[in-house]
Amino acid sequence: MKQYQKEINKRRTFGIISHPDAGKTTLTEKLLLFGGAIQEAGAVKSNKIKKGATSDFMEIERQRGISVATSVLAFEYRDIKINILDTPGHKDFAEDTFRTLTAVDSVIVVIDVAKGVEEQTEKLVEVCRMRNIPMIVFINKLDREGKDAFELLDEIEQKLNLTVTPLSFPIGMGYDFKGIYNIWEKNVNLFTGDPRKDIEETVEISDLNSEELDDLIGEKAADTLREELELAQGVYPEFDREAYLEGRLQPVFFGSALNNFGVRELLDCFISIAPPPRPKESDTRVVKPDEKEFTGFVFKIHANMDPKHRDRLAFIKIVSGKFERNKNYLHVRNNKNMKFSSPNAFFAEKKEVVDVSYPGDIVGLHDTGNFKIGDTLTEGENLMYKGIPSFSPEHFRYINNADPMKSKQLEKGVDQLMDEGVAQLFVLELNGRKIIGTVGALQFEVIQYRLEHEYGAKCTYENLNVHKATWVEPEDPKSEEFQDFKRVKAKFLAKDKSGQLVFLADSQFSLQMTQQKYPSIKFHFTSEF
């Protein structure tokens, strides 16, 4: 039992979120570098390095330099096992990011020093605040010109409604960037601008008034630093771990991920304050991580991670108990027992088969089509974890087959990509035409690209004027009103993947008219009812 408790306390699972291009993937790479997990980090932008980023392994991600799907990476650092979920920042892939946030225990928010808080950051932080997830803020790209530190801290407080306290402070910025004073450990880290120096030397300075500081960074910078720190300590609250864990206080770090600067401070502080695996609410009770019985849930499904094999992996976050290979577990929704002979642990592109995994870990299970996003696995207890939503799509297009010889591949490809939750498929009742609905427009390109490269099927899209898709729930399916609705709106009715009836409204106005005309029918915007 003691060993088991030790394993739980060793684990930290966190997600990295931000607006596109603030530097999530670059920060992830640098964290892996400290864990000794990769030898050199491939910066996302530079063309000289032939290595792409380790965490962007889909071909389309490498071409555009953006992340499209969440990737799971794990490494050990100072006896702590860290699981990182690198999420896409693009709002078109926000669904993937929202689902990932159900599986993390804490979050690091990355903010670009020049752009400050951007809209996507606001949305994601709001989701974290609703769930009281502890957050650490990392202000990135200090080697470029940007906003003043106090201005940034104010902006974070106002726009994101957070209460912040800086745990490190920049000395100068952009062209005059001298380094960072680490408030948490009371030392100065000098910036050389030489990325080959993996870990910079730090100079310990416990007394800010000592002359040592003047010698290191020059008198002018030293005086400014003393004034700013005095001001910062007067304005911002002391760091309090309780408040941080409850989501009431957010520590802030400064650095430059690309130059590997300020990242170690972030990591050292992170492992000493971040929470180990936390309890999670299910539909019957709250499940604690130290329970003996295994429970876990699927938060993401990814097809063809390895283009050489057509495989599908279901990602499972373990909430309680030990997950062992070749042991029977109950798949609650289908009510059948399943066992897994090769559960995988992740390391970006490398996967290893693991025998035992503990709470907080993310395990990949080979899936032949049994899992849906949100499914729960247990040792026999009948409980479901809730809170993984399926959004009502906002962009719709007909999907047509461009190559009649490949219709089977197209069907299979569309089927598997929809299971992954990339988009949703609707089939019109009237003529059986297929409609794809997505949250963002970029997803159509991703689907087209993946169909061609992973399944060898070509497709074309055709525009369709639909405002919203709503799920239909009649009070009495045999009533005359419902039959009338089905007759009048026959052109706009479709079925989703699980066979639920969906009404495709062509404008906000027609949706309101329909709701008034058929009061006994309920129209839902999420499929979780």
Side-chain angles (χ1 to χ4, degrees):
M1 215 39 200
K2 246 187 185 163
Q3 175 63 29
Y4 172 59
Q5 201 60 45
K6 210 171 103 187
E7 287 290 345
I8 297 182
N9 293 337
K10 248 178 79 166
R11 285 170 168 63
R12 305 280 182 277
T13 305
F14 71 96
I16 298 189
I17 59 172
S18 82
H19 197 80
D21 262 3
K24 287 180 296 300
T25 303
T26 311
L27 178 63
T28 309
E29 294 274 293
K30 292 306 196 270
L31 291 172
L32 288 177
L33 204 60
F34 283 115
I38 50 180
Q39 260 45 63
E40 64 181 291
V44 187
K45 290 264 181 328
S46 119
N47 294 333
K48 287 184 191 142
I49 304 183
K50 284 288 175 275
K51 276 177 60 109
T54 318
S55 49
D56 286 353
F57 49 77
M58 266 156 67
E59 189 57 39
I60 190 163
E61 298 182 305
R62 297 220 163 115
Q63 285 177 4
R64 303 200 162 193
I66 59 171
S67 305
V68 172
T70 303
S71 55
V72 181
L73 308 116
F75 66 93
E76 292 220 351
Y77 179 73
R78 297 200 175 172
D79 267 357
I80 297 281
K81 168 129 194 278
I82 299 179
N83 297 311
I84 307 183
L85 295 126
D86 179 22
T87 63
H90 248 275
K91 71 168 184 296
D92 293 7
F93 309 108
E95 236 183 311
D96 200 49
T97 308
F98 287 139
R99 290 193 199 116
T100 305
L101 288 177
T102 58
V104 299
D105 299 312
S106 65
V107 163
I108 292 183
V109 184
V110 185
I111 289 176
D112 182 332
V113 68
K115 296 182 182 145
V117 176
E118 298 169 272
E119 108 196 85
Q120 203 49 33
T121 324
E122 291 181 38
K123 282 187 189 157
L124 292 166
V125 167
E126 202 177 317
V127 175
C128 297
R129 284 209 357 264
M130 269 164 29
R131 303 208 171 106
N132 291 331
I133 303 176
M135 285 178 262
I136 295 182
V137 180
F138 181 70
I139 294 179
N140 194 9
K141 306 194 181 179
L142 276 195
D143 52 319
R144 302 188 182 177
E145 297 296 328
K147 301 184 179 178
D148 172 65
F150 288 108
E151 196 185 323
L152 269 171
L153 293 171
D154 281 351
E155 192 177 325
I156 294 172
E157 296 212 313
Q158 285 160 9
K159 284 197 181 167
L160 301 178
N161 286 335
L162 300 179
T163 311
V164 296
T165 176
L167 288 189
S168 74
F169 212 84
I171 306 171
M173 177 166 299
Y175 181 67
D176 310 321
F177 185 50
K178 295 274 198 310
I180 286 172
Y181 178 75
N182 187 343
I183 302 176
W184 173 250
E185 292 171 6
K186 292 198 167 46
N187 57 31
V188 168
N189 194 339
L190 294 181
F191 178 67
T192 54
D194 176 9
R196 278 188 302 256
K197 272 197 182 166
D198 275 347
I199 297 165
E200 322 279 316
E201 299 81 45
T202 50
V203 182
E204 206 151 305
I205 294 188
S206 39
D207 177 21
L208 275 176
N209 297 323
S210 70
E211 286 181 7
E212 221 182 323
L213 189 63
D214 297 342
D215 301 342
L216 277 175
I217 58 176
E219 250 172 76
K220 190 171 153 225
D223 289 342
T224 319
L225 177 68
R226 288 181 190 127
E227 279 169 33
E228 290 190 332
L229 280 173
E230 200 175 322
L231 183 60
Q233 279 154 354
V235 176
Y236 296 105
E238 285 273 299
F239 176 70
D240 169 18
R241 184 159 182 230
E242 290 289 297
Y244 156 72
L245 289 178
E246 287 168 17
R248 294 198 319 268
L249 181 71
Q250 284 74 29
V252 178
F253 283 88
F254 290 85
S256 158
L258 187 65
N259 293 308
N260 211 348
F261 193 77
V263 178
R264 194 184 52 81
E265 287 79 350
L266 172 73
L267 192 56
D268 285 349
C269 174
F270 173 81
I271 59 175
S272 59
I273 66 173
R278 301 163 74 190
K280 189 168 170 67
E281 213 170 297
S282 71
D283 55 1
T284 49
R285 61 195 186 86
V286 172
V287 180
K288 292 198 172 67
D290 50 13
E291 295 178 16
K292 275 225 166 103
E293 304 267 297
F294 162 79
T295 63
F297 65 96
V298 179
F299 66 93
K300 170 183 162 60
I301 290 173
H302 199 123
N304 317 321
M305 273 180 79
D306 181 351
K308 297 186 199 73
H309 308 287
R310 292 275 163 260
D311 59 349
R312 265 178 60 160
L313 279 180
F315 289 66
I316 289 197
K317 159 88 192 274
I318 301 175
V319 182
S320 68
K322 282 196 293 205
F323 179 86
E324 298 174 62
R325 73 183 256 219
N326 288 329
K327 192 169 167 183
N328 273 319
Y329 293 113
L330 174 72
H331 180 321
V332 180
R333 183 176 53 93
N334 289 352
N335 196 13
K336 65 179 190 190
N337 279 320
M338 303 172 75
K339 68 179 196 191
F340 306 96
S341 56
S342 54
N344 285 309
F346 295 96
F347 180 77
E349 290 180 342
K350 304 184 198 62
K351 308 190 296 253
E352 299 156 7
V353 173
V354 281
D355 289 328
V356 183
S357 301
Y358 295 91
D361 279 343
I362 310 273
V363 183
L365 303 178
H366 286 283
D367 172 29
T368 50
N370 298 313
F371 288 117
K372 271 207 212 138
I373 286 173
D375 279 349
T376 306
L377 277 178
T378 68
E379 273 191 41
E381 187 180 352
N382 198 349
L383 64 85
M384 290 288 273
Y385 287 111
K386 50 181 194 290
I388 297 198
S390 182
F391 296 84
S392 163
E394 286 165 25
H395 301 261
F396 299 88
R397 292 185 192 171
Y398 284 121
I399 181 168
N400 298 326
N401 187 359
D403 182 356
M405 304 294 286
K406 295 273 171 80
S407 56
K408 203 168 158 192
Q409 282 88 329
L410 181 77
E411 201 150 305
K412 182 178 163 196
V414 168
D415 210 44
Q416 291 203 352
L417 291 181
M418 298 306 132
D419 276 351
E420 232 183 83
V422 178
Q424 294 178 47
L425 181 72
F426 304 109
V427 181
L428 275 184
E429 292 273 87
L430 199 65
N431 50 14
R433 283 192 74 178
K434 289 186 174 159
I435 295 172
I436 285 186
T438 66
V439 177
L442 240 156
Q443 269 153 314
F444 288 116
E445 277 181 57
V446 173
I447 292 170
Q448 197 165 15
Y449 185 92
R450 289 186 60 186
L451 281 173
E452 191 170 333
H453 288 82
E454 293 173 14
Y455 298 94
K458 287 190 169 68
C459 71
T460 56
Y461 295 120
E462 211 176 300
N463 280 337
L464 170 72
N465 183 22
V466 170
H467 165 70
K468 263 284 194 211
T470 59
W471 281 267
V472 179
E473 185 189 17
E475 263 177 30
D476 172 19
K478 294 199 177 72
S479 70
E480 210 151 287
E481 188 176 321
F482 185 53
Q483 299 307 327
D484 183 51
F485 163 75
K486 274 168 56 173
R487 194 177 65 251
V488 174
K489 296 288 179 191
K491 273 189 8 209
F492 304 106
L493 291 183
K495 286 240 166 80
D496 74 357
K497 218 175 160 216
S498 51
Q500 305 249 28
L501 194 64
V502 176
F503 170 57
L504 305 171
D506 52 3
S507 66
Q508 184 66 42
F509 174 68
S510 81
L511 181 60
Q512 283 167 349
M513 289 298 292
T514 313
Q515 280 169 331
Q516 284 166 15
K517 193 174 165 194
Y518 305 106
S520 78
I521 301 173
K522 285 196 188 121
F523 297 95
H524 300 275
F525 287 110
T526 57
S527 59
E528 268 207 351
F529 61 87

